[in-house]
Amino acid sequence: MAQGHPQAAPVGQHAAAAPGLFGAVLALLAVLALIVGLGWLLKRLPGAGFRPAEGLKLVASLNVGAKERVVVVEVNGQQLLLGITAGGISALHALPEPLPAPAPAPATLPHLKHLPNFAQLLQQKLRKDA
């Protein structure tokens, strides 16, 4: 070898070592913390209850502000109008007769003849990008 040039390092000398037992335990703890954290987050999200309450049903809801809502709930056959704010929940009115059920929207299928041709759309997009 010529003088002035250092010898080349052996192959693999600078490669990271395989993680040891400490790394495996740390990864396991991170996964467990992630599972616990996601479980905690799911409990805090609205509407994330896994089982509906017996005898309690949300009939209608209307947002009237950033953090204010008016809801109609049915409790054992009686409907109540409630006001929900960041500070609490207030009973506004007991409805003498139940709200009418909303009419179901008619199920319509898309008109297949009016859909754009996918092959033509793809060719146009590829031409624009090229």
Side-chain angles (χ1 to χ4, degrees), residues 49-125:
F50 295 107
R51 291 179 297 184
E54 295 286 329
L56 185 66
K57 181 175 119 179
L58 179 65
V59 177
S61 176
L62 176 67
N63 290 332
V64 292
K67 294 183 179 181
E68 297 83 19
R69 290 189 307 161
V70 177
V71 298
V72 175
V73 294
E74 185 174 327
V75 181
N76 293 331
Q78 183 182 10
Q79 291 187 352
L80 301 171
L81 180 67
L82 304 176
I84 301 174
T85 65
I89 300 173
S90 302
L92 301 176
H93 186 67
L95 300 177
E97 57 186 54
L99 291 177
T108 59
L109 295 175
H111 298 289
L112 298 178
K113 293 180 181 177
H114 299 294
L115 292 177
N117 187 350
F118 178 75
Q120 290 176 350
L121 290 175
L122 183 61
Q123 286 178 354
Q124 290 173 356
K125 181 68 177 166

Side-chain angles (χ1 to χ4, degrees), residues 3-25:
Q3 292 179 346
H5 292 310
Q7 286 186 335
V11 175
Q13 178 181 358
H14 299 292
L21 183 60
F22 177 75
V25 170

